[in-house]
Amino acid sequence: MGGATKFSRVDGFSVGADTGGNPAGVVLSGLSSCPTPEARLSMAKALNYSETVFVDEITPASPRRVTLRYYTPTEEVDVCGHATVACLGLLLERGLIEEGEGVLNLLCGDCRYKVGGGSCFMQQIPVVVDEPLGGDVVAKLCKALGIGVEELSESFSPRVASTGLRDICVLLTTTSALRGLKVDFSAVKALSEEIDVVGVHVGAMEAGKMIDDGIPVRNFAPKCGIDEESATGTSNCAMACALAVEGVLTWGEEYTFLQGEKMAEPSPSRITVRMGKDRDEGAWVGGNYRVVIDEGELL
């Protein structure tokens, strides 16, 4: 990488100013310090956060246009919710963007963002929901998660959904089943490769209702080098939209997803999904952030 590269660590989807969230690396000088995919992958691998976001450009015109690119320790990905929230929060604190709305230029396309009041939100592209998975794939899925078919919700069959990243969305009937998952990560990776998804996103609703003040979820993406992710904006948004398509959730409402309960610090995380009035309008995902390392250097 040719000398020290400056980076920040910001936890996206924090519970408050002092706890929780999912760590992301943020490299503000993306094009100058890490101009090639090889350099970015090397940086992301060295930092070893689930995602590192590189800021390639911020236009001076209003509304601001911010170009971002995302890398896991193993590959480039189209979009990442928690890294976007983390990055926007840092840009706001550094005075590089202002409170209000702007445009994000991402590999998956352009979308809007809103920042202010201690939180950051990004618009998601319209959801794509596939047909329910076939019985043989569901059987592989249940075996990989260590659950029986009877623990799947009758109101929502497992299927692939995407608001930028393809995930298998699964809804269970109890939180105990969610907490007790015995995941075979090699099997999840093989299934993810087989049907071309990033990973598996699993939630729970008892009797079709939210639990406490939100919907508890877990996310597994070993294909991308992430056994379990502590906060995933795009996956939660895809699941919320898929559930709304099937009538389990309601368009036009706001939902909170609770993630990372089974993981070590700095989890847990709170992710807010603001649903549009219908499927075409899509949804916004966002939450709070906290800057943990304002400026570090990697040699």
Side-chain angles (χ1 to χ4, degrees):
M1 287 180 288
T5 302
K6 294 182 179 180
F7 73 93
S8 300
R9 172 191 154 181
V10 187
D11 295 355
F13 299 125
S14 60
V15 174
D18 301 313
T19 187
N22 191 0
V26 182
V27 180
L28 295 179
S29 56
L31 284 177
S32 60
S33 62
C34 295
T36 67
E38 293 78 14
R40 294 176 181 211
L41 189 59
S42 177
M43 181 78 176
K45 186 175 181 179
L47 290 176
N48 202 34
Y49 301 125
S50 58
E51 277 87 10
T52 295
V53 55
F54 296 85
V55 182
D56 282 357
E57 184 180 22
I58 305 173
T59 63
S62 182
R64 297 276 191 189
R65 184 177 176 86
V66 182
T67 299
L68 304 177
R69 296 295 182 262
Y70 310 87
Y71 282 77
T72 76
T74 62
E75 64 182 357
E76 184 177 15
V77 293
D78 287 353
V79 62
C80 174
H82 86 270
T84 303
V85 167
C87 182
L88 290 173
L90 183 66
L91 292 177
L92 182 63
E93 293 205 359
R94 293 279 185 91
L96 298 173
I97 61 173
E98 305 80 22
E99 290 195 355
E101 295 194 27
V103 177
L104 295 171
N105 172 254
L106 313 176
L107 276 181
C108 61
D110 287 358
C111 62
R112 291 180 293 159
Y113 70 81
K114 298 177 183 178
V115 295
S119 65
C120 305
F121 279 80
M122 66 178 296
Q123 180 191 34
Q124 301 285 282
I125 65 174
V127 67
V128 176
V129 182
D130 290 358
E131 293 297 316
L133 298 174
D136 57 336
V137 178
V138 171
K140 290 181 184 179
L141 174 65
C142 289
K143 185 176 181 180
L145 295 175
I147 59 172
V149 178
E150 69 279 1
E151 292 177 281
L152 298 174
S153 171
E154 294 183 358
S155 60
F156 182 82
S157 300
R159 67 196 65 203
V160 175
S162 172
T163 54
L165 297 175
R166 285 168 51 84
D167 278 301
I168 301 172
C169 294
V170 182
L171 188 65
L172 305 180
T173 56
T174 64
T175 53
S176 59
L178 180 68
R179 291 168 179 157
L181 292 176
K182 293 178 171 51
V183 182
D184 181 338
F185 294 110
S186 62
V188 171
K189 180 180 179 182
L191 183 60
S192 299
E193 292 172 343
E194 177 184 337
I195 61 175
D196 189 26
V197 296
V198 171
V200 180
H201 198 64
V202 190
M205 294 178 71
E206 297 186 356
K209 297 180 179 179
M210 287 186 291
I211 300 159
D212 297 326
D213 61 344
I215 301 172
V217 292
R218 298 178 69 183
N219 183 276
F220 309 103
K223 174 186 168 186
C224 299
I226 309 164
D227 281 350
E228 182 166 4
E229 185 81 287
S230 60
T232 50
T234 51
S235 297
N236 282 306
C237 204
M239 171 166 272
C241 291
L243 291 172
V245 167
E246 293 302 305
V248 179
L249 299 183
T250 305
W251 294 108
E253 298 293 328
E254 181 173 295
Y255 297 97
T256 300
F257 289 81
L258 311 172
Q259 194 169 343
E261 178 194 30
K262 293 284 289 183
M263 301 181 68
E265 292 293 334
S267 295
S269 305
R270 295 177 66 91
I271 301 98
T272 300
V273 177
R274 294 174 178 167
M275 308 290 285
K277 67 178 186 299
D278 56 30
R279 181 171 179 169
D280 291 336
E281 189 173 297
W284 292 69
V285 64
N288 298 327
Y289 65 91
R290 62 188 186 115
V291 179
V292 179
I293 301 175
D294 185 58
E295 188 171 89
E297 289 189 346
L298 185 67
L299 297 176

